[in-house]
Amino acid sequence: VALGLYFPRKEYLENVYLDEPAGMPLLRIHALRDSHEEVAHFHLCQNLIISRARQHENNWFQIKEKTGLLYLSKSLDREDFNMLSVGNWMPVPKVMLYVFLSSHPFQEKECDSATRTTVFLSLINATAPACSSLTARQLCFTEMDLSFHIKENKPPGTFHQLQLPSIHHLCQNLSISYKLLAAEGAPFRYNENSSSVRVTQRLDREERERYELIAKCTVREGLREMQVEVPFLVNVLDEDDSPPFLPNGTDTADAVVEFNRKEGTVLSTLTVYDADTTPIYPLESSRKKYTGTIITDDPWISETFRVEHIFDEIHFNPNGSQVRGTRHEY
């Protein structure tokens, strides 16, 4: 059975500072389900990837199997930093981790699951800054874009947590609260108690392909209040679930051939729309999806005439939103 669980992000980014204590929460990773029965289990593989050629055993980072919370299992000291940054040509050394996903508890060292996301950790050559020195933007949001991919026709579920686990852990004297600003009726909910964002119903890409929301954060320190807003984007991923359709309902066109036509003359056309998919590259894979056929028993007709297939991306506008599709011309 193919794994149905999936990650709503292809990658995650976070900073790690020197001498942060073991147990320090870094970030929370979420998974969405393919069917209601599934339960997500997260797993971290043993190696850190330091640069293209180098790997190192992971002694510093762990993930909670049931919640997806990534945390420091050992403080990163100066010696660790020097060892991990050797040969790293970037101004801020980065290490890379793979987080794997399964619908059953992981067996020891099982790291071949196809479902994985990448975590990039920037190693900062300094101790964590004082909360008072951070801007509202730094206190509220990481450097990651808040951009997510949710598959259509899948069960509802939680796919992001707005509150930053590390900031919440370090800056307990500050009050940080969030709101998700969305058009009325948008299928997303923010839970103030858990600071999590949930998709509340199955999505349909043929109805809407992209949702543009805003995450708003308010930081209060004594009488001082700061606010910051960032875009929060959800792209709906397609499942091939809608048949192609014909604008006038007929899938056949008659061709009348007059005497003395030149080679290359167009005798008849037939248009097919597909709201479900957009042109795939390489183009041959889009061509193979649909074929045009001349229906005849006469070999001379088969040798003399041919069907050409051209296609391009078009936009449909259901409910006032723009959805991509394909127009096939034969």
Side-chain angles (χ1 to χ4, degrees):
V1 182
L3 276 179
L5 291 161
Y6 68 99
F7 290 105
R9 292 186 67 96
K10 290 191 174 68
E11 56 186 47
Y12 292 81
L13 314 170
E14 192 48 82
N15 294 334
V16 180
Y17 293 91
L18 292 177
D19 299 330
E20 288 181 304
M24 172 82 180
L26 297 173
L27 68 103
R28 189 180 290 279
I29 293 172
H30 289 86
L32 285 168
R33 294 172 301 165
D34 195 62
S35 63
H36 279 290
E37 309 77 62
E38 288 175 318
V39 178
H41 297 267
F42 299 91
H43 181 64
L44 210 53
C45 276
Q46 289 311 304
N47 286 337
L48 293 175
I49 297 157
I50 299 172
S51 59
R52 283 168 206 169
R54 288 178 65 225
Q55 291 195 9
H56 196 285
E57 192 176 347
N58 171 24
N59 301 317
W60 299 272
F61 308 103
Q62 264 318 319
I63 196 163
K64 296 203 168 168
E65 185 179 333
K66 292 187 176 168
T67 64
L69 183 70
L70 185 76
Y71 63 95
L72 269 175
S73 54
K74 173 183 180 293
S75 182
L76 186 80
D77 62 24
R78 169 68 57 197
E79 199 179 316
D80 298 332
F81 176 86
N82 291 340
M83 180 175 59
L84 291 174
S85 54
V86 165
N88 209 315
W89 66 91
M90 290 180 276
V92 176
K94 278 190 172 63
V95 296
M96 193 165 93
L97 289 165
Y98 290 128
V99 176
F100 291 82
L101 188 55
S102 173
S103 52
H104 60 82
F106 275 87
Q107 306 308 311
E108 194 61 36
K109 294 193 175 172
E110 177 187 6
C111 283
D112 54 358
S113 149
T115 312
R116 73 179 191 192
T117 190
T118 308
V119 178
F120 292 98
L121 298 170
S122 297
L123 306 181
I124 310 296
N125 189 8
T127 53
C131 297
S132 56
S133 70
L134 297 174
T135 64
R137 177 79 174 73
Q138 291 168 315
L139 289 164
C140 292
F141 302 107
T142 63
E143 291 154 35
M144 290 190 290
D145 290 339
L146 293 183
S147 178
F148 306 91
H149 304 277
I150 297 179
K151 293 182 182 178
E152 67 171 340
N153 306 322
K154 302 301 178 198
T158 297
F159 63 95
H160 184 62
Q161 183 180 3
L162 281 168
Q163 182 187 74
L164 305 180
S166 54
I167 294 290
H168 182 66
H169 186 80
L170 291 170
C171 306
Q172 292 175 354
N173 296 341
L174 297 178
S175 156
I176 303 174
S177 60
Y178 295 88
K179 274 192 176 143
L180 193 63
L181 310 178
E184 202 175 325
F188 304 100
R189 289 286 168 277
Y190 172 64
N191 180 326
E192 284 185 16
N193 298 326
S194 61
S195 92
S196 58
V197 183
R198 179 179 176 79
V199 55
T200 58
Q201 64 190 55
R202 291 172 185 263
L203 304 180
D204 182 352
R205 193 202 71 92
E206 287 71 64
E207 288 294 318
R208 184 141 184 194
E209 191 171 11
R210 185 176 166 89
Y211 293 87
E212 298 184 12
L213 302 88
I214 289 171
K216 179 180 179 178
C217 175
T218 305
V219 180
R220 290 184 190 85
E221 187 181 12
L223 298 173
R224 219 158 60 102
E225 184 175 292
M226 299 175 284
Q227 291 189 333
V228 60
E229 294 182 359
V230 298
F232 188 104
L233 307 174
V234 177
N235 294 292
V236 185
L237 294 182
D238 192 59
E239 190 174 63
D240 207 349
D241 63 335
S242 303
F245 61 95
L246 301 134
N248 57 5
T250 174
D251 62 355
T252 309
D254 294 330
V256 177
V257 187
E258 294 176 359
F259 181 65
N260 221 7
R261 298 286 89 182
K262 284 195 172 71
E263 186 179 336
T265 303
V266 175
L267 303 168
S268 183
T269 60
L270 183 66
T271 302
V272 181
Y273 290 107
D274 188 346
D276 200 44
T277 55
T278 54
I280 310 161
Y281 297 91
L283 292 176
E284 277 318 300
S285 43
S286 272
R287 265 186 231 292
K288 284 176 190 158
K289 214 170 166 193
Y290 307 115
T291 54
T293 311
I294 298 172
I295 303 168
T296 179
D297 297 330
D298 185 335
W300 177 80
I301 290 179
S302 302
E303 287 162 18
T304 313
F305 301 95
R306 74 165 185 266
V307 178
E308 281 204 355
H309 176 194
I310 57 170
F311 50 90
D312 55 359
E313 184 173 293
I314 56 165
H315 291 101
F316 298 96
N317 292 85
N319 308 325
S321 72
Q322 209 174 63
V323 171
R324 293 171 303 150
T326 311
R327 175 175 52 213
H328 297 265
E329 300 264 15
Y330 295 94

